Amino acid sequence: SYVLTQPPSVSVAPGQTARITCGGNNIGSKSVHWYQQKPGQAPVLVVYDDSDRPSGIPERFSGSNSGNTATLTISRVEAGDEADYYCQVWDSSSDHHVVFGGGTKLTVL
Amino acid sequence: QITLKESGPTLVKPTQTLTLTCTFSGFSLSTSGVGVGWIRQPPGKALEWLALIYWDDDKRYSPSLKSRLTITKDTSKNQVVLTMTNMDPVDTATYYCVLPGGDAFDIWGQGTMVTVSS
């Protein structure tokens, strides 16, 4: 079964850049999607297909994917960006199914 | 405007079967390419994908839960139903109904909390 590995936590000062990684075997060959979840709320898609943003998502959110690591980058971090972030892919190796990473808690210092 | 809303019991006993209904609006599950899925999240833990059903009745299940899950659709009622058998306290979670856009889940319901306890 395909496994996505995320760091449990990332901390960053306001105005700085946060990078949240998502590791997986040859993840660069897959499309990676990222979700932001604030306490008590449903997740929100912030990046899809590695680097595209849904409408309404600030340009400060960007993504990249190569080799064994995908990265969500949040530039000019704001207090309102503090949340849990999850990566997601489809695993086509068997029984085509969805896999989520374990999530990363972003703390804005 | 697209909306999805989950409904079902808030409390189930161990070994019972859970039945959740997702009622949606703003799209049709008879339209080519459209699917509706379920994702859950235990308190304080990560998201876990459960199942997905497509317009053509193709169904996908989590490999680890496949034996316990059944997903069905009622296109005329704009509903998708998920059943999970043999519920256990570890199945306590918020269950979300989701609408995929491509390979991502771009619209989520508000979620419904299900507690498994005797």
Side-chain angles (χ1 to χ4, degrees), chain A residues 1-5 22-34 47-52 63-71 87-101, chain B residues 103-104:
Chain A
S1 178
Y2 195 78
V3 176
L4 294 175
T5 301
C22 177
N25 184 33
N26 197 27
I27 195 173
S29 67
K30 302 180 182 296
S31 290
V32 180
H33 319 292
W34 292 92
V47 168
Y48 66 97
D49 290 349
D50 297 340
S51 58
D52 290 331
S64 62
N65 184 18
S66 179
N68 293 319
T69 305
T71 303
C87 58
Q88 174 246 314
V89 300
W90 276 86
D91 178 15
S92 302
S93 59
S94 64
D95 279 349
H96 195 62
H97 61 275
V98 173
V99 179
F100 281 99
Chain B
D103 286 345

Side-chain angles (χ1 to χ4, degrees), chain A residues 33-57:
Chain A
H33 319 292
W34 292 92
Y35 302 86
Q36 175 194 70
Q37 185 180 32
K38 297 181 179 180
Q41 298 182 18
V44 173
L45 181 68
V46 293
V47 168
Y48 66 97
D49 290 349
D50 297 340
S51 58
D52 290 331
R53 279 185 313 277
S55 61
I57 301 301

Side-chain angles (χ1 to χ4, degrees), chain B residues 37-53:
Chain B
W38 290 91
I39 292 166
R40 72 177 180 179
Q41 184 175 37
K45 296 189 177 181
L47 300 170
E48 180 181 22
W49 176 76
L50 300 177
L52 187 59
I53 187 166

